Amino acid sequence: GSVGTVMIDPFGGGGNCGSDNPDVASIRINNGSTINASFSTGSVQVDAQALNASGGVVSGVTLNYSSSDTAIFMVDANGVITPVAPGTATLTVCVGSKSATATVNVTF
């Protein structure tokens, strides 16, 4: 079969998680399950890591970030969250079929 071109949307609504990495067993978001962002503090850096089966950090892995609602917040390829409007949406960090999510609360 032919290989299609994958368009990467830097503020995408998800689905672009790249190919599976056999070394990656799970994704950890070190910010916690809830990330608070506000217009007064500005952008927030997501601290996420790819882990192997024994819980060690796998280096050199490209993490893919997405927002469930870009009207609430956007996130770039480096994991920087930019608040857009007050509300709650879900951040997903993924590598292939492995993913982790956190709730992002945006306030004034």
Side-chain angles (χ1 to χ4, degrees):
S2 61
V3 177
T5 312
V6 178
M7 298 296 291
I8 300 298
D9 177 359
F11 301 117
N16 291 322
C17 291
S19 52
D20 258 331
N21 184 319
D23 298 327
V24 176
S26 63
I27 308 294
R28 179 175 63 201
I29 300 175
N30 295 314
N31 307 62
S33 58
T34 301
I35 299 172
N36 293 307
S38 70
F39 293 101
S40 56
T41 55
S43 60
V44 177
Q45 174 67 58
V46 179
D47 176 18
Q49 293 169 315
L51 306 179
N52 59 27
S54 55
V57 175
V58 182
S59 59
V61 175
T62 299
L63 298 172
N64 300 281
Y65 303 88
S66 63
S67 166
S68 65
D69 188 349
T70 52
I72 302 297
F73 76 90
M74 295 189 293
V75 60
D76 69 11
N78 299 311
V80 177
I81 291 174
T82 302
V84 177
T88 303
T90 302
L91 166 77
T92 301
V93 184
C94 58
V95 175
S97 61
K98 307 296 190 296
S99 67
T101 59
T103 300
V104 177
N105 290 321
V106 177
T107 58
F108 283 113

